[in-house]
Each structure stands twice: as structure tokens, then as C-alpha cells.
């Protein structure tokens, strides 16, 4: 009877359902604790039944990362390269904020899925059509990805979420630890940023626009 119930619960499985549930679990609990047994329990299925849809955890991770890449907007073709890459970077930041577990896995896959490949093809095409050489397009791609992934990682680990949170933490936690006679510049910076209503979220666009502007002369020289 128990075996019949298990077969019945497994009957509703599909690769898409397995992968979607895996992403949901990773969003909630992180990817380190994700196992076939844990995933099977969430799906109400037998652990061994999952191997009909994904042969290994690595194959599951490939599919999960493909879901993340599918959510990122591709650089549009109908605009200039800087606007296109800016839209793609902003979209990637938003997607990675929803899936922070994916940050360290985005460029790690040796058997990338179709959305992963489409994304990288579109980014490379945007840069090459803009006039970057193959080598310079590669440099630009690495630099832009470092900007996006680095900021996403930093943002995911910050102890505050908003400008108001930052101000409260600076006043209540940081400034008391920064006596001006010992840390005059840190004290000055913290006080000035709070007074100015500083929003750390603005750092992403500041850095991104700086990178895009620095790349433009390299495109022209190519």
C-alpha cells in the first residue's frame, strides 16, 4: 500500500517541477543544504525517483542556473551598446537579489544549459556589433560580470537593506565605535553620509556607469 502511494505521488513529477522546486528551496534555505533527499521530501516523492529527471546534483545545478539566466533580460538590439549592457546588468542584479545562492555558480557550469548559452551569446554579440574586437569584448565581458557579481555578493551580505536602515545602523552601531580622536576620517565619513541621506544601493549604478564609460574609448580604438 505504501509503495502504491509513493508511485502515485511520483506520477506528478517532471523535470521542470523538480528544478522549480529546487530553486524555491535554494532561495529559501541556500544551496549548500540542498540534497536529493531534501528535494524529494519537499516534492512528496521518493529520492530515487528524482534521478529519472536529473542524473546528479551537478545536472540539477546546471538546470537551476539555467532558470536564473532565463530570468535575466538579454541586451536589446535596438539601442546603443552602453544602454543595452546597462539594462542587462541592472536586470542581472535584480535577479541575483532574488537568487543570492546563484552568485558563485553563474560562471561555474561546464555543461551550461540553453538559456545560459543564449545569454552569453547575446552579450558577446552586443559587444562585437558595437565594434569591440574579440579580445576587447572578452575583457569587457569579464569586467562587467565582475561588477555585477561582485556588487550582488556584497549586497547579499550587507547588514542593512535600505538607506534608512543604513542611517540607523550608522548612528546606533558604527559611530559609537568610531571616536573621532582615533578614527577621524571614518567618523567624519559616517556622520556626513547619514546627514546626506546616503543610499548604498546607488553604488551599483555609479560603478557600472564608470565601467561603461571607461570601455568606450577601447571600443573606438578597436
Amino acid at each position: 500500500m505504501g509503495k502504491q502511494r509513493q508511485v502515485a505521488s511520483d506520477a506528478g513529477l517532471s523535470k521542470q517541477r523538480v528544478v522549480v522546486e529546487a530553486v524555491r528551496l535554494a532561495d529559501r534555505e541556500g544551496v549548500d543544504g540542498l540534497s536529493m533527499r531534501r528535494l524529494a521530501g519537499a516534492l512528496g516523492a521518493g529520492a530515487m525517483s528524482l534521478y529519472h529527471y536529473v542524473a546528479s546534483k551537478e545536472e540539477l545545478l546546471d538546470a537551476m542556473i539555467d532558470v536564473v539566466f532565463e530570468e535575466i533580460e538579454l541586451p536589446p538590439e535596438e539601442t546603443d551598446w552602453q544602454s543595452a549592457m546597462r539594462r542587462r546588468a541592472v536586470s542581472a542584479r535584480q535577479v541575483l537579489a532574488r537568487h543570492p545562492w546563484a552568485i558563485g555558480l553563474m560562471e561555474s557550469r561546464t555543461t551550461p544549459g540553453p538559456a545560459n548559452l543564449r545569454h552569453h551569446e547575446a552579450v558577446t554579440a552586443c559587444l562585437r556589433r558595437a565594434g569591440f574586437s574579440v579580445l576587447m569584448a572578452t575583457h569587457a565581458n569579464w569586467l562587467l560580470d565582475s561588477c555585477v557579481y561582485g556588487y550582488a555578493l556584497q549586497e547579499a551580505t550587507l547588514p542593512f537593506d535600505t538607506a534608512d536602515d543604513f542611517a540607523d545602523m550608522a548612528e546606533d552601531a558604527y559611530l559609537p565605535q568610531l571616536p573621532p580622536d582615533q578614527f577621524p576620517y571614518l567618523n567624519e565619513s559616517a556622520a556626513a553620509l547619514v546627514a546626506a541621506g546616503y543610499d548604498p544601493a546607488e553604488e551599483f549604478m555609479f560603478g557600472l556607469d564608470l565601467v561603461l564609460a571607461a570601455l568606450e574609448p577601447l571600443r573606438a580604438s578597436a
Side-chain angles (χ1 to χ4, degrees):
M1 188 67 176
K3 185 175 181 180
Q4 290 177 340
R5 283 197 299 269
Q6 187 66 66
V7 169
S9 64
D10 292 352
L13 289 181
S14 65
K15 182 173 182 178
Q16 181 181 17
R17 186 182 169 206
V18 169
V19 173
V20 167
E21 182 61 25
V23 170
R24 189 186 68 81
L25 281 175
D27 289 346
R28 191 177 66 194
E29 302 173 6
V31 76
D32 290 341
L34 180 65
S35 66
M36 291 302 208
R37 185 176 298 276
R38 174 75 182 88
L39 179 56
L43 289 164
M48 294 305 297
S49 65
L50 300 189
Y51 290 98
H52 293 295
Y53 307 98
V54 286
S56 64
K57 185 175 179 180
E58 286 302 306
E59 184 176 318
L60 176 62
L61 289 173
D62 287 341
M64 292 167 65
I65 291 299
D66 219 47
V67 168
V68 178
F69 271 110
E70 188 70 48
E71 294 180 16
I72 299 174
E73 181 181 357
L74 299 179
E77 298 182 8
E78 67 277 5
T79 187
D80 65 277
W81 79 272
Q82 288 196 25
S83 298
M85 296 306 291
R86 186 180 292 107
R87 282 178 59 175
R88 173 257 180 182
V90 169
S91 176
R93 175 198 175 189
Q94 294 169 342
V95 170
L96 291 172
R98 296 196 297 268
H99 309 296
W101 56 269
I103 297 169
L105 296 172
M106 294 293 282
E107 303 301 328
S108 71
R109 313 321 300 161
T110 57
T111 51
N116 187 332
L117 292 173
R118 280 195 302 272
H119 180 91
H120 284 89
E121 173 69 13
V123 169
T124 303
C126 178
L127 294 169
R128 291 288 288 121
R129 289 169 183 157
F132 288 94
S133 67
V134 170
L135 182 58
M136 203 56 67
T138 303
H139 290 329
N141 198 350
W142 274 78
L143 186 56
L144 288 163
D145 279 354
S146 296
C147 178
V148 171
Y149 296 147
Y151 186 88
L153 179 61
Q154 186 175 43
E155 189 172 42
T157 57
L158 289 174
F160 47 80
D161 294 321
T162 67
D164 288 341
D165 291 342
F166 169 79
D168 291 342
M169 186 164 291
E171 291 180 320
D172 298 339
Y174 293 158
L175 278 170
Q177 300 178 67
L178 302 173
D181 58 325
Q182 296 181 48
F183 307 102
Y185 293 106
L186 290 177
N187 180 283
E188 175 191 45
S189 295
L193 291 174
V194 170
Y198 170 72
D199 185 356
E202 295 175 357
E203 294 295 349
F204 178 73
M205 293 306 299
F206 177 85
L208 177 61
D209 285 342
L210 203 62
V211 169
L212 291 170
L215 288 170
E216 174 62 21
L218 302 178
R219 177 185 76 90
S221 65

